[in-house]
Amino acid sequence: MDDLLNRLIQGDRRALSRAITLIESTRADHRARAVNLLAGLPDRQALRIGMSGTPGVGKSTFIEAFGTMLTEQDLRVAVLAVDPSSTRSGGSILGDKTRMEMLSRNPMAFIRPTPSNAQLGGVARRTREAIRLCEAAGYDVVLIETVGVGQSETLVAEMCDLFVLLLAPAGGDELQGVKRGIMEMADLILVNKADGDLLPTARRTVADYAGALRLLRKRPQDPEGFPKALTVSATTQDGLPKAWMEMQALTEWRREHGYFDQTRAQQARHWFMAELRAGLLAQLETPEARAHLKDLGDAVAQGDAAPAEAARDMLDWLQKTTQN
Amino acid sequence: MDDLLNRLIQGDRRALSRAITLIESTRADHRARAVNLLAGLPDRQALRIGMSGTPGVGKSTFIEAFGTMLTEQDLRVAVLAVDPSSTRSGGSILGDKTRMEMLSRNPMAFIRPTPSNAQLGGVARRTREAIRLCEAAGYDVVLIETVGVGQSETLVAEMCDLFVLLLAPAGGDELQGVKRGIMEMADLILVNKADGDLLPTARRTVADYAGALRLLRKRPQDPEGFPKALTVSATTQDGLPKAWMEMQALTEWRREHGYFDQTRAQQARHWFMAELRAGLLAQLETPEARAHLKDLGDAVAQGDAAPAEAARDMLDWLQKTTQN
């Protein structure tokens, strides 16, 4: 265990992979080891960038280009995927590494797909903990990628320092397709594919979104001019340095004004409460508890016990069980 | 305590009022007495009718007329209000009794407004338990009234045998204003104010909604022709006997085909699990637990403890505390 932690801290990618596998495990002994490992991590910080975009927007190509650019600036980059939809089909996004071919072979980068058979809540815990592991392993930037499905954006925004929305060039009508709630979470909107024939459309799209962003209520954690919309091209790499510069400027401003630490503190509190609630409810998941729960549930369904009474019985039972 | 239960079972309205006050209390000793009281209730059933309608549709007038008609058929009627929005302003709907002047003076009827300072979750528990108390007190029909705010309709539909949507006569465009989710919960749509000048509009509105209902997926718990849309007039009382006949026919069919008991059993299971989860989380609400939680939360926010570690500490603390 100490060996794993030591190698992780030294930046060993295989140790990082093993540690993530450990935190992804649902086995009780693995979980206990994972909690110990997390408690022993050094206090290193990476910039946590959440990134959302609908399929077809060129997200993998963007991350490949953007991540490669960062490694060329001597920054170590980790990419984590949060894709609850892929878990429904039962498999991890094996395509991730294939799609990001260059980045996956880059020794300065680390790519980890969504684990298979995970639920949204489980993906949240795993991703939060994986971020901490990447930070401990000395990564400078952690990109958390999500497809725009259900609540995954909110979940990712709640664990990141910055939230970037990647969009495709589109007519004004399609602006409506981006939900207001997601717009409100964005720190930066990047309109991709701003090259060749699509360049004029991309510029118009940026102007449309810039207009829409100005209509949103000003957030205290934003300096003048943010949230911002920009054009980028993952293919020609135009706009990537500018996008990175804006991310750094925003982060710097938030650090100086205390919002960076404040947000992280809030996120940590939130995560603590989520873990605690999950831990309390986990008491119902042992085989004995499930069996007792089923009996009481049947009694309630048959009208032999009042729901409140059965709930009290179950709570008493849990208390007795933990005492022994 | 036995005295309260006895008087309640004999149908004493003051005992019913006192029992509801007891279940509304958040004091631990009151709660314990309430759970005992609920466990001792006889197994009587009323028809539980959920009723939703936006303000201005004439809901109070409808309930006054409909309730009075039922009492004239020798049926005892209880009206419970579920209005989380009124609790936000801090007061109970004092207007309820005033608005239903005739019914509130009727010895066959019992009207109880939403308690003050309750939250949606608390309103749910209180209303479910108040329904049981009304049933034990021998009421034949329990009307659970809600204004169409947020999730209150879903909540009410989950504790009722029938769900009735009361609407005003309106042009076709406004049909869109009723959310699909609420349409799907309705067993009966009643278009009120079908009298005088509004009668033709009311009839058109019924036709529009009947058309919309036919587009919904057929539910197994519905006989042919349901869900149904009808015109009613709370003022002239036209359509009220027909509406009651349809409610009885639907209930009868569901009883015969097992759906009535099946739905109640599911609702009881659901309520049991909700109570159990609430009970587990209530462990965090004692003054000592809150103090410990605050210390751990602060440590997490300051980066002195990992969230998962702090959650484990808190769970250990809870276990130790319940053992002593």
Side-chain angles (χ1 to χ4, degrees):
Chain A
M1 188 65 179
D2 281 346
D3 180 51
L4 181 64
L5 180 60
N6 283 337
R7 288 195 294 125
L8 175 76
I9 293 172
Q10 282 155 28
D12 182 325
R13 289 200 293 181
R14 285 186 57 194
L16 177 57
S17 269
R18 275 197 47 210
I20 295 181
T21 303
L22 185 65
I23 58 158
E24 284 172 356
S25 170
T26 50
R27 264 177 53 184
D29 57 329
H30 287 175
R31 188 68 209 146
R33 282 178 61 197
V35 172
N36 283 333
L37 180 68
L38 291 163
L41 294 182
D43 201 17
R44 289 181 183 163
Q45 277 191 351
L47 182 62
R48 305 171 181 173
I49 306 175
M51 184 161 290
S52 175
T54 40
V57 67
K59 197 148 35 92
S60 302
T61 321
F62 176 84
I63 292 175
E64 167 108 327
F66 187 70
T68 303
M69 180 191 76
L70 295 181
T71 62
E72 284 163 1
Q73 298 182 21
D74 255 351
L75 295 168
R76 297 180 68 207
V77 180
V79 180
L80 302 172
V82 175
D83 183 3
S85 69
S86 81
T87 64
R88 267 177 231 152
S89 58
S92 57
I93 325 177
L94 291 173
D96 269 9
K97 290 209 179 187
T98 327
R99 283 185 288 130
M100 302 176 200
E101 218 178 316
M102 245 169 68
L103 202 59
S104 65
R105 281 185 278 115
N106 186 327
M108 298 281 282
F110 175 85
I111 300 178
R112 181 86 179 195
T114 310
S116 53
N117 302 320
Q119 308 212 297
L120 191 57
V123 170
R125 170 196 265 177
R126 167 264 180 191
T127 307
R128 284 190 176 113
E129 294 181 347
I131 292 172
R132 291 279 298 119
L133 294 174
C134 293
E135 292 186 320
Y139 284 85
D140 302 293
V141 175
V142 181
L143 287 171
I144 300 101
E145 178 202 2
T146 183
V147 287
V149 173
Q151 301 187 287
S152 60
E153 271 112 346
T154 312
L155 198 142
V156 167
E158 275 169 1
M159 52 178 85
C160 286
D161 304 315
L162 295 177
F163 190 72
V164 176
L165 196 55
L166 197 68
L167 298 173
D173 283 0
E174 291 179 51
L175 194 137
Q176 305 292 332
V178 178
K179 291 187 207 111
R180 189 188 166 89
I182 291 170
M183 286 275 284
E184 285 173 345
M185 290 190 296
D187 295 307
L188 210 55
I189 288 181
L190 301 179
V191 177
N192 195 21
K193 302 187 181 177
D195 49 53
D197 289 351
L198 283 173
L199 186 55
T201 316
R203 285 196 179 130
R204 262 202 315 278
T205 309
V206 161
D208 288 346
Y209 279 102
L213 288 173
R214 273 193 296 274
L215 296 178
L216 297 178
R217 195 161 48 92
K218 170 115 177 59
R219 304 176 302 183
Q221 70 270 32
D222 289 333
E224 207 53 57
F226 280 92
K228 210 167 257 190
L230 302 171
T231 52
V232 290
S233 164
T235 318
T236 67
Q237 292 165 44
D238 282 345
L240 296 188
K242 166 86 170 152
W244 175 231
M245 213 189 66
E246 296 288 0
M247 291 181 206
Q248 287 174 291
L250 178 58
T251 306
E252 201 44 53
W253 189 90
R254 286 187 182 164
R255 278 194 194 277
E256 274 170 24
H257 292 76
Y259 292 112
F260 188 91
D261 289 339
Q262 189 183 308
T263 303
R264 285 222 168 177
Q266 281 169 357
Q267 288 173 344
R269 269 185 207 276
H270 182 81
W271 179 11
F272 163 52
M273 289 307 293
E275 285 277 322
L276 183 54
R277 279 190 291 267
L280 282 171
L281 296 176
Q283 295 175 54
L284 305 176
E285 300 298 329
T286 65
E288 298 78 25
R290 278 171 185 273
H292 197 60
L293 205 55
K294 193 188 171 305
D295 290 345
L296 285 170
D298 289 346
V300 164
Q302 285 152 26
D304 295 334
E309 184 194 5
R312 188 184 54 183
D313 282 0
M314 188 69 201
L315 291 168
D316 289 346
W317 183 89
L318 286 170
Q319 197 170 320
K320 257 196 321 214
T321 312
T322 45
Q323 277 174 5
N324 297 335
Chain B
M1 190 62 179
D2 280 346
D3 180 52
L4 182 63
L5 180 59
N6 283 336
R7 288 196 293 125
L8 175 75
I9 293 172
Q10 283 154 29
D12 181 325
R13 288 200 295 180
R14 285 185 58 193
L16 177 56
S17 269
R18 274 196 50 211
I20 295 182
T21 303
L22 184 67
I23 60 157
E24 284 173 356
S25 171
T26 51
R27 264 176 54 182
D29 57 328
H30 288 174
R31 189 67 210 145
R33 283 178 61 198
V35 173
N36 282 333
L37 180 67
L38 291 163
L41 295 181
D43 202 18
R44 290 181 183 163
Q45 277 191 352
L47 182 62
R48 305 171 181 172
I49 306 176
M51 185 162 289
S52 175
T54 41
V57 68
K59 197 148 33 94
S60 302
T61 320
F62 175 84
I63 292 176
E64 167 109 327
F66 187 71
T68 302
M69 179 192 76
L70 295 181
T71 61
E72 285 162 359
Q73 298 182 21
D74 255 350
L75 296 168
R76 296 180 67 207
V77 179
V79 181
L80 302 172
V82 175
D83 182 2
S85 69
S86 82
T87 65
R88 268 178 231 151
S89 58
S92 57
I93 325 177
L94 292 171
D96 269 9
K97 289 209 181 189
T98 327
R99 282 185 291 129
M100 301 176 200
E101 220 177 317
M102 245 169 67
L103 202 59
S104 65
R105 281 184 279 115
N106 187 325
M108 298 281 283
F110 174 84
I111 301 179
R112 181 86 178 194
T114 310
S116 54
N117 301 319
Q119 307 214 296
L120 191 58
V123 170
R125 169 195 265 176
R126 166 263 179 193
T127 308
R128 285 190 175 111
E129 294 181 348
I131 292 171
R132 291 280 297 119
L133 294 174
C134 292
E135 291 186 320
Y139 284 85
D140 302 292
V141 174
V142 182
L143 287 169
I144 300 103
E145 178 202 2
T146 183
V147 287
V149 173
Q151 302 188 286
S152 59
E153 271 112 347
T154 312
L155 198 141
V156 168
E158 276 168 2
M159 51 179 84
C160 287
D161 303 316
L162 294 178
F163 191 71
V164 176
L165 196 56
L166 196 68
L167 297 173
D173 283 0
E174 292 178 52
L175 192 138
Q176 305 291 331
V178 178
K179 290 187 209 112
R180 189 188 165 88
I182 292 171
M183 285 277 284
E184 285 173 344
M185 290 189 297
D187 294 308
L188 208 56
I189 288 181
L190 301 179
V191 178
N192 194 20
K193 302 186 180 176
D195 47 55
D197 289 351
L198 283 173
L199 185 55
T201 315
R203 285 196 179 131
R204 262 204 314 278
T205 308
V206 161
D208 288 346
Y209 279 101
L213 287 172
R214 273 192 296 273
L215 295 178
L216 297 179
R217 194 162 50 92
K218 171 118 176 56
R219 304 176 301 183
Q221 70 269 33
D222 290 332
E224 206 53 55
F226 280 93
K228 209 168 258 193
L230 302 170
T231 52
V232 290
S233 165
T235 318
T236 67
Q237 292 165 43
D238 281 346
L240 296 187
K242 165 88 171 148
W244 175 232
M245 213 190 67
E246 295 288 0
M247 292 181 207
Q248 287 174 292
L250 178 58
T251 305
E252 203 43 54
W253 189 89
R254 286 188 183 162
R255 277 193 195 279
E256 274 170 23
H257 292 77
Y259 292 112
F260 188 91
D261 290 338
Q262 189 183 311
T263 303
R264 284 219 169 179
Q266 279 168 358
Q267 288 173 344
R269 268 184 207 274
H270 181 80
W271 179 11
F272 163 52
M273 289 307 293
E275 285 279 321
L276 183 54
R277 277 190 291 267
L280 282 171
L281 296 176
Q283 295 175 52
L284 305 177
E285 299 298 330
T286 66
E288 298 76 26
R290 277 172 186 272
H292 197 60
L293 205 55
K294 193 189 171 303
D295 290 345
L296 285 170
D298 290 347
V300 164
Q302 284 153 27
D304 295 334
E309 185 195 2
R312 188 184 53 182
D313 282 1
M314 188 70 201
L315 291 168
D316 288 347
W317 183 89
L318 286 170
Q319 197 170 322
K320 256 196 324 216
T321 311
T322 44
Q323 278 177 2
N324 296 333

